[in-house]
Coordinates of all heavy atoms in Angstrom, one line a residue:
M1 N 74.4 57.3 75.7 CA 74.4 58.6 76.3 C 73.6 58.7 77.6 O 72.4 58.9 77.6 CB 73.7 59.6 75.2 CG 74.6 59.9 74.1 SD 75.8 61.2 74.5 CE 76.5 61.5 72.9
G2 N 74.2 58.4 78.7 CA 73.5 58.4 79.9 C 73.3 59.9 80.5 O 72.3 60.2 81.0
G3 N 74.3 60.7 80.3 CA 74.2 62.0 80.8 C 74.9 62.2 82.1 O 75.1 63.3 82.6
G4 N 75.1 61.0 82.8 CA 75.7 61.1 84.1 C 77.1 61.7 84.1 O 77.4 62.5 85.0
N5 N 77.9 61.4 83.1 CA 79.2 61.9 83.1 C 79.2 63.4 82.9 O 80.0 64.1 83.5 CB 80.0 61.3 81.9 CG 80.7 60.0 82.3 OD1 80.8 59.8 83.5 ND2 81.1 59.2 81.4
G6 N 78.3 63.9 82.0 CA 78.2 65.3 81.8 C 77.9 66.1 83.1 O 78.5 67.1 83.3
Q7 N 77.0 65.5 83.8 CA 76.6 66.2 85.0 C 77.8 66.2 86.0 O 78.0 67.2 86.7 CB 75.5 65.5 85.7 CG 74.8 66.3 86.7 CD 73.4 65.8 87.1 OE1 73.1 64.7 86.7 NE2 72.7 66.5 87.9
K8 N 78.5 65.1 86.1 CA 79.7 65.1 87.0 C 80.7 66.2 86.6 O 81.2 66.9 87.4 CB 80.4 63.7 86.9 CG 80.5 63.0 88.2 CD 81.2 61.7 88.1 CE 80.6 60.7 89.0 NZ 81.2 59.4 88.8
A9 N 80.9 66.3 85.3 CA 81.9 67.3 84.8 C 81.4 68.7 85.2 O 82.2 69.5 85.6 CB 82.1 67.2 83.3
R10 N 80.1 68.9 85.0 CA 79.6 70.2 85.3 C 79.8 70.5 86.8 O 80.2 71.6 87.2 CB 78.2 70.3 84.9 CG 77.7 71.8 84.9 CD 76.3 71.9 84.3 NE 75.4 71.1 85.1 CZ 74.1 70.8 84.7 NH1 73.7 71.3 83.6 NH2 73.3 70.1 85.4
M11 N 79.5 69.5 87.7 CA 79.7 69.8 89.1 C 81.1 70.1 89.5 O 81.4 70.9 90.3 CB 79.1 68.6 89.9 CG 77.6 68.6 90.0 SD 76.9 67.1 90.7 CE 77.4 67.2 92.4
A12 N 82.0 69.4 88.8 CA 83.4 69.6 89.0 C 83.8 71.1 88.7 O 84.5 71.8 89.4 CB 84.3 68.6 88.3
R13 N 83.2 71.5 87.5 CA 83.5 72.8 87.1 C 83.0 73.9 88.1 O 83.6 74.8 88.4 CB 82.8 73.1 85.7 CG 83.7 73.8 84.8 CD 83.1 74.0 83.4 NE 82.8 72.8 82.8 CZ 81.7 72.6 82.0 NH1 80.9 73.6 81.7 NH2 81.5 71.4 81.4
E14 N 81.8 73.6 88.6 CA 81.2 74.5 89.5 C 82.0 74.6 90.8 O 82.2 75.6 91.4 CB 79.7 74.1 89.8 CG 78.8 74.7 88.8 CD 77.4 74.1 88.9 OE1 77.1 73.5 89.9 OE2 76.7 74.2 87.9
K15 N 82.5 73.4 91.2 CA 83.4 73.4 92.4 C 84.6 74.3 92.2 O 85.0 75.0 93.0 CB 83.8 72.0 92.7 CG 83.3 71.5 94.0 CD 83.8 70.2 94.4 CE 83.0 69.5 95.5 NZ 83.4 68.1 95.7
N16 N 85.2 74.2 91.0 CA 86.3 75.0 90.7 C 86.0 76.4 90.7 O 86.8 77.3 91.2 CB 86.8 74.6 89.3 CG 88.0 73.6 89.3 OD1 88.6 73.5 90.4 ND2 88.2 72.9 88.2
L17 N 84.9 76.8 90.2 CA 84.5 78.2 90.2 C 84.4 78.7 91.6 O 84.8 79.8 91.9 CB 83.1 78.3 89.5 CG 83.1 78.6 88.0 CD1 81.7 78.7 87.5 CD2 83.9 79.8 87.7
E18 N 83.8 77.9 92.5 CA 83.7 78.3 93.9 C 85.1 78.6 94.5 O 85.3 79.5 95.2 CB 83.0 77.2 94.7 CG 81.5 77.6 94.9 CD 80.8 76.5 95.5 OE1 81.1 76.0 96.6 OE2 79.8 76.0 94.8
K19 N 86.0 77.7 94.1 CA 87.4 77.9 94.6 C 88.0 79.2 94.2 O 88.5 80.0 94.9 CB 88.3 76.7 94.1 CG 88.6 75.7 95.2 CD 89.6 74.7 94.7 CE 89.3 73.3 95.0 NZ 90.0 72.3 94.3
Q20 N 87.7 79.5 92.9 CA 88.3 80.8 92.3 C 87.6 82.0 93.0 O 88.3 82.9 93.3 CB 88.0 80.8 90.8 CG 88.9 80.0 90.0 CD 88.6 80.0 88.6 OE1 87.7 80.7 88.1 NE2 89.2 79.1 87.8
K21 N 86.3 81.8 93.3 CA 85.6 82.9 94.0 C 86.2 83.2 95.3 O 86.5 84.3 95.7 CB 84.2 82.6 94.1 CG 83.3 83.3 93.1 CD 81.8 83.1 93.5 CE 80.9 82.8 92.3 NZ 79.6 82.3 92.6
A22 N 86.5 82.1 96.0 CA 87.1 82.2 97.4 C 88.4 83.0 97.3 O 88.7 83.8 98.1 CB 87.2 80.9 98.0
A23 N 89.2 82.6 96.3 CA 90.5 83.2 96.2 C 90.4 84.7 95.9 O 91.1 85.5 96.5 CB 91.3 82.6 95.0
K24 N 89.4 85.0 95.0 CA 89.2 86.4 94.7 C 88.8 87.2 95.9 O 89.1 88.3 96.2 CB 88.1 86.5 93.6 CG 88.7 86.7 92.2 CD 87.7 87.1 91.2 CE 88.2 86.9 89.8 NZ 87.1 86.8 88.8
G25 N 87.9 86.5 96.7 CA 87.4 87.2 97.9 C 88.5 87.6 98.9 O 88.5 88.8 99.3
S26 N 89.5 86.8 99.1 CA 90.6 87.2 100.0 C 91.4 88.3 99.4 O 92.0 89.1 100.1 CB 91.4 85.9 100.3 OG 92.0 85.4 99.1
Q27 N 91.5 88.3 98.1 CA 92.2 89.4 97.4 C 91.5 90.7 97.6 O 92.1 91.7 97.9 CB 92.3 89.1 95.9 CG 93.7 89.5 95.3 CD 93.8 89.1 93.9 OE1 92.8 88.9 93.2 NE2 95.0 88.8 93.4
L28 N 90.2 90.7 97.5 CA 89.4 91.9 97.7 C 89.6 92.4 99.1 O 89.7 93.6 99.3 CB 87.9 91.6 97.5 CG 87.5 91.6 96.0 CD1 86.0 91.3 96.0 CD2 87.7 93.0 95.4
E29 N 89.7 91.5 100.0 CA 89.9 91.9 101.4 C 91.1 92.8 101.6 O 91.1 93.8 102.2 CB 90.1 90.6 102.2 CG 89.8 90.7 103.7 CD 88.3 91.0 103.9 OE1 87.4 90.4 103.1 OE2 88.0 91.7 104.7
S30 N 92.2 92.4 100.9 CA 93.5 93.1 101.1 C 93.4 94.4 100.3 O 94.3 95.3 100.5 CB 94.7 92.3 100.6 OG 94.5 91.9 99.3
N31 N 92.5 94.6 99.4 CA 92.4 95.8 98.6 C 91.5 96.8 99.2 O 91.2 97.8 98.6 CB 92.0 95.4 97.2 CG 93.1 94.9 96.3 OD1 94.3 95.1 96.7 ND2 92.8 94.3 95.2
K32 N 90.9 96.5 100.3 CA 89.9 97.4 100.9 C 90.3 98.8 101.1 O 89.6 99.7 101.0 CB 89.4 96.8 102.2 CG 88.0 96.1 102.0 CD 87.5 95.6 103.4 CE 86.2 94.8 103.2 NZ 85.8 94.0 104.3
K33 N 91.6 98.9 101.4 CA 92.1 100.3 101.7 C 92.0 101.2 100.5 O 92.0 102.4 100.6 CB 93.6 100.2 102.1 CG 93.7 99.6 103.5 CD 95.2 99.4 103.8 CE 95.4 98.2 104.7 NZ 96.6 97.4 104.4
A34 N 92.0 100.6 99.3 CA 92.1 101.3 98.1 C 90.8 101.7 97.5 O 90.7 102.0 96.3 CB 92.9 100.6 97.0
M35 N 89.7 101.7 98.3 CA 88.4 102.1 97.8 C 88.3 103.6 97.7 O 87.6 104.2 98.5 CB 87.3 101.5 98.7 CG 87.5 100.0 98.9 SD 87.1 99.0 97.5 CE 85.3 98.9 97.6
T36 N 88.9 104.2 96.8 CA 89.0 105.6 96.8 C 88.0 106.3 95.8 O 87.9 107.5 95.7 CB 90.4 106.1 96.4 OG1 90.8 105.5 95.2 CG2 91.4 105.7 97.5
I37 N 87.4 105.4 95.0 CA 86.4 106.0 94.1 C 85.0 105.8 94.7 O 84.7 104.8 95.2 CB 86.4 105.3 92.7 CG1 87.7 105.5 92.0 CG2 85.3 105.7 91.8 CD1 87.9 104.8 90.7
Q38 N 84.2 106.9 94.7 CA 82.9 106.8 95.3 C 81.9 107.4 94.4 O 82.0 108.5 93.8 CB 82.9 107.5 96.7 CG 81.6 107.3 97.4 CD 81.6 108.0 98.8 OE1 82.1 109.2 98.9 NE2 81.1 107.4 99.8
C39 N 80.8 106.7 94.3 CA 79.6 107.2 93.6 C 78.9 108.3 94.5 O 78.6 108.0 95.6 CB 78.6 106.1 93.3 SG 77.1 106.6 92.6
K40 N 78.8 109.4 93.9 CA 78.3 110.5 94.7 C 76.8 110.4 94.9 O 76.2 111.1 95.7 CB 78.6 111.9 94.1 CG 80.1 112.1 93.9 CD 80.8 112.3 95.2 CE 82.3 112.6 95.0 NZ 83.1 112.2 96.2
V41 N 76.2 109.6 94.2 CA 74.7 109.4 94.2 C 74.3 108.4 95.3 O 73.5 108.7 96.2 CB 74.1 109.0 92.9 CG1 72.6 108.8 93.0 CG2 74.4 110.1 91.8
C42 N 74.9 107.3 95.3 CA 74.5 106.2 96.3 C 75.7 106.0 97.3 O 75.5 105.2 98.2 CB 74.1 104.9 95.6 SG 75.5 104.1 94.9
M43 N 76.8 106.7 97.2 CA 77.9 106.6 98.2 C 78.6 105.2 98.2 O 79.3 104.9 99.1 CB 77.4 107.0 99.6 CG 76.9 108.4 99.7 SD 78.2 109.5 99.2 CE 77.2 111.0 98.9
Q44 N 78.3 104.5 97.1 CA 79.0 103.2 97.1 C 80.5 103.4 96.7 O 80.8 104.3 95.9 CB 78.4 102.3 96.0 CG 78.9 100.9 96.0 CD 78.2 100.0 95.0 OE1 77.0 100.2 94.7 NE2 78.9 99.1 94.4
T45 N 81.4 102.7 97.3 CA 82.8 102.9 97.0 C 83.3 101.8 96.1 O 82.8 100.7 96.0 CB 83.6 102.9 98.3 OG1 83.2 101.7 99.1 CG2 83.3 104.1 99.1
F46 N 84.3 102.2 95.3 CA 85.0 101.3 94.4 C 86.5 101.4 94.5 O 87.0 102.4 94.9 CB 84.6 101.7 92.9 CG 83.1 101.7 92.7 CD1 82.3 102.8 93.0 CD2 82.5 100.6 92.1 CE1 81.0 102.7 92.8 CE2 81.2 100.5 91.9 CZ 80.4 101.6 92.2
I47 N 87.1 100.3 94.2 CA 88.6 100.2 94.2 C 89.1 101.2 93.3 O 88.6 101.5 92.2 CB 89.0 98.8 93.9 CG1 88.8 97.9 95.1 CG2 90.4 98.7 93.4 CD1 89.1 96.5 94.9
C48 N 90.3 101.8 93.7 CA 90.8 102.9 92.9 C 91.2 102.5 91.5 O 91.3 103.3 90.6 CB 92.1 103.4 93.6 SG 93.4 102.2 93.7
T49 N 91.3 101.2 91.2 CA 91.6 100.7 89.9 C 90.4 100.5 89.0 O 90.5 100.1 87.9 CB 92.4 99.4 89.9 OG1 91.7 98.5 90.7 CG2 93.8 99.6 90.6
T50 N 89.2 100.8 89.5 CA 88.0 100.7 88.8 C 88.1 101.6 87.5 O 88.3 102.8 87.6 CB 86.8 101.1 89.6 OG1 86.7 100.3 90.8 CG2 85.5 100.9 88.8
S51 N 87.9 100.9 86.4 CA 88.0 101.7 85.1 C 86.8 102.6 84.9 O 85.7 102.4 85.5 CB 88.2 100.7 84.0 OG 87.0 99.9 83.8
E52 N 87.0 103.5 84.0 CA 85.9 104.4 83.7 C 84.7 103.6 83.1 O 83.5 103.9 83.4 CB 86.3 105.4 82.6 CG 85.2 106.3 82.2 CD 85.7 107.4 81.2 OE1 86.9 107.6 81.1 OE2 84.9 108.0 80.5
V53 N 85.0 102.5 82.4 CA 83.9 101.7 81.9 C 83.0 101.2 83.0 O 81.8 101.2 82.9 CB 84.5 100.6 81.0 CG1 83.4 99.6 80.6 CG2 85.3 101.1 79.8
K54 N 83.7 100.7 84.0 CA 83.0 100.1 85.2 C 82.1 101.2 85.9 O 81.0 100.9 86.3 CB 83.9 99.5 86.2 CG 84.6 98.2 85.6 CD 83.5 97.0 85.7 CE 84.1 95.8 85.0 NZ 83.1 94.9 84.7
C55 N 82.7 102.3 86.0 CA 81.9 103.5 86.6 C 80.7 103.8 85.8 O 79.6 104.0 86.3 CB 82.8 104.7 86.7 SG 84.2 104.5 87.9
R56 N 80.9 103.8 84.5 CA 79.8 104.1 83.6 C 78.7 103.0 83.7 O 77.5 103.3 83.7 CB 80.2 104.2 82.2 CG 81.0 105.5 81.9 CD 81.4 105.6 80.5 NE 82.2 106.8 80.3 CZ 81.7 108.0 80.1 NH1 80.4 108.2 80.1 NH2 82.5 109.1 80.0
E57 N 79.2 101.8 83.8 CA 78.3 100.6 83.9 C 77.4 100.8 85.2 O 76.2 100.6 85.2 CB 79.0 99.3 84.0 CG 79.2 98.7 82.7 CD 80.1 97.4 82.8 OE1 80.2 96.8 83.8 OE2 80.7 97.1 81.7
H58 N 78.1 101.2 86.3 CA 77.4 101.4 87.5 C 76.3 102.5 87.4 O 75.2 102.4 87.8 CB 78.4 101.7 88.7 CG 77.7 102.2 89.9 ND1 77.3 101.3 90.9 CD2 77.3 103.4 90.3 CE1 76.7 102.0 91.9 NE2 76.7 103.3 91.6
A59 N 76.8 103.6 86.8 CA 75.9 104.7 86.7 C 74.7 104.4 85.8 O 73.5 104.7 86.2 CB 76.6 105.9 86.1
E60 N 74.9 103.7 84.8 CA 73.8 103.3 83.9 C 72.9 102.3 84.5 O 71.7 102.3 84.3 CB 74.4 102.7 82.6 CG 74.8 103.9 81.6 CD 75.6 103.3 80.5 OE1 75.4 102.1 80.1 OE2 76.4 104.1 79.9
A61 N 73.5 101.4 85.3 CA 72.6 100.3 85.9 C 71.9 100.9 87.1 O 70.7 100.5 87.3 CB 73.5 99.2 86.3
K62 N 72.5 101.7 87.9 CA 71.9 102.1 89.2 C 71.2 103.4 89.1 O 70.2 103.7 89.8 CB 73.0 102.2 90.3 CG 73.7 100.9 90.5 CD 73.0 100.0 91.5 CE 73.9 98.7 91.7 NZ 73.2 97.9 92.7
H63 N 71.8 104.3 88.3 CA 71.2 105.6 88.2 C 71.0 106.1 86.8 O 71.6 107.0 86.3 CB 72.1 106.6 88.9 CG 72.8 106.1 90.1 ND1 72.0 105.8 91.3 CD2 74.1 105.8 90.4 CE1 72.9 105.3 92.2 NE2 74.1 105.2 91.7
P64 N 70.1 105.4 86.1 CA 69.9 105.7 84.6 C 69.4 107.1 84.4 O 69.6 107.6 83.3 CB 68.8 104.7 84.2 CG 68.2 104.1 85.5 CD 69.3 104.3 86.5
K65 N 68.8 107.7 85.5 CA 68.3 109.1 85.3 C 69.4 110.1 85.6 O 69.2 111.3 85.3 CB 67.1 109.3 86.2 CG 65.9 108.6 85.7 CD 64.7 108.8 86.6 CE 63.6 107.9 86.2 NZ 62.6 107.6 87.3
S66 N 70.5 109.7 86.2 CA 71.6 110.6 86.5 C 72.7 110.6 85.5 O 72.9 109.5 84.9 CB 72.1 110.3 87.9 OG 71.1 110.4 88.8
D67 N 73.3 111.7 85.3 CA 74.5 111.7 84.4 C 75.6 111.0 85.0 O 75.8 111.0 86.3 CB 74.9 113.1 84.0 CG 75.8 113.2 82.8 OD1 75.2 113.2 81.7 OD2 77.0 113.2 83.0
V68 N 76.5 110.3 84.3 CA 77.6 109.6 84.8 C 78.5 110.5 85.6 O 79.1 110.2 86.6 CB 78.4 108.8 83.8 CG1 79.0 109.7 82.8 CG2 79.4 107.9 84.4
S69 N 78.6 111.8 85.2 CA 79.5 112.7 85.8 C 78.9 113.2 87.2 O 79.6 113.7 88.0 CB 79.7 113.9 84.9 OG 78.5 114.6 84.6
A70 N 77.6 113.0 87.4 CA 77.0 113.2 88.6 C 77.4 112.2 89.7 O 77.5 112.5 90.8 CB 75.5 113.3 88.5
C71 N 77.5 111.0 89.2 CA 77.9 109.9 90.1 C 79.5 109.9 90.3 O 79.9 109.7 91.4 CB 77.6 108.5 89.4 SG 75.8 108.3 89.1
F72 N 80.2 110.2 89.2 CA 81.6 110.1 89.3 C 82.2 111.4 88.7 O 82.7 111.4 87.6 CB 82.2 108.9 88.6 CG 81.6 107.6 89.1 CD1 80.6 106.9 88.4 CD2 82.0 107.0 90.3 CE1 80.1 105.7 88.9 CE2 81.5 105.9 90.8 CZ 80.5 105.2 90.1
P73 N 82.3 112.5 89.5 CA 82.8 113.7 88.9 C 84.2 113.6 88.4 O 84.6 114.4 87.6 CB 82.7 114.7 90.1 CG 81.7 114.1 91.0 CD 81.8 112.6 90.8
H74 N 85.0 112.7 89.0 CA 86.4 112.6 88.7 C 86.5 112.2 87.2 O 87.6 112.5 86.6 CB 87.1 111.6 89.6 CG 86.8 110.2 89.3 ND1 85.6 109.6 89.7 CD2 87.4 109.2 88.6 CE1 85.5 108.3 89.3 NE2 86.6 108.1 88.6
L75 N 85.5 111.6 86.6 CA 85.6 111.2 85.2 C 85.6 112.4 84.3 O 86.2 112.4 83.2 CB 84.4 110.3 84.8 CG 84.4 108.9 85.5 CD1 83.2 108.2 85.0 CD2 85.7 108.2 85.2
N76 N 85.1 113.5 84.8 CA 85.1 114.8 84.1 C 86.4 115.5 84.1 O 86.8 116.1 83.2 CB 84.0 115.7 84.6 CG 82.7 115.6 83.8 OD1 82.7 115.0 82.8 ND2 81.7 116.3 84.3
N77 N 87.1 115.3 85.2 CA 88.3 116.1 85.4 C 89.5 115.6 84.6 O 90.4 116.3 84.2 CB 88.7 116.1 86.9 CG 87.6 116.7 87.8 OD1 86.8 117.5 87.3 ND2 87.6 116.3 89.0
K78 N 89.5 114.3 84.4 CA 90.6 113.7 83.7 C 90.6 114.1 82.2 O 89.6 114.3 81.6 CB 90.7 112.2 83.9 CG 89.7 111.4 83.1 CD 89.9 110.0 83.6 CE 89.0 109.1 82.7 NZ 89.5 109.0 81.3
T79 N 91.8 114.1 81.6 CA 91.9 114.5 80.2 C 92.5 113.3 79.4 O 93.3 113.5 78.5 CB 92.8 115.7 80.1 OG1 94.0 115.4 80.8 CG2 92.1 116.9 80.6
G80 N 92.0 112.1 79.7 CA 92.5 111.0 78.8 C 93.5 110.2 79.4 O 93.6 109.0 79.1
E81 N 94.3 110.7 80.3 CA 95.3 109.8 81.0 C 94.6 109.0 82.0 O 93.3 109.1 82.2 CB 96.4 110.6 81.6 CG 96.1 111.2 83.0 CD 95.9 112.7 83.0 OE1 95.4 113.2 82.0 OE2 96.4 113.3 83.9
M82 N 95.3 108.2 82.8 CA 94.7 107.3 83.8 C 93.7 106.3 83.1 O 92.8 105.8 83.7 CB 93.9 108.1 84.8 CG 93.8 107.5 86.2 SD 92.8 108.5 87.2 CE 91.5 107.3 87.7
N83 N 94.0 105.9 81.9 CA 93.2 104.8 81.3 C 93.8 103.5 81.7 O 94.8 103.1 81.2 CB 93.2 105.0 79.8 CG 91.9 105.6 79.3 OD1 90.9 105.4 79.9 ND2 92.0 106.3 78.2
L84 N 93.1 102.8 82.7 CA 93.7 101.6 83.2 C 93.2 100.4 82.4 O 92.1 100.3 82.1 CB 93.4 101.5 84.6 CG 94.0 102.6 85.5 CD1 93.4 102.5 86.9 CD2 95.5 102.4 85.6
Ligands
ZN1 ZN1 75.8 104.8 92.6

């Protein structure tokens, strides 16, 4: 058990991850127009396909003292449809 092989495998995996990240980055680039969801508290924008769960995650992480509907009023308006 030298451990050298394991390290090599891990480095290869990390390289692959970097490649995937780069691919995702260029995809984000083309989606920039669709940043139609905005947090009303910090004005951060989100892609229109951002799910309610992600919005709630943002609100809880960034604005634990604010209600999620204060950050994303649109979550209040919907009646169950638009569940992506
Ligand atoms: Zn925010």
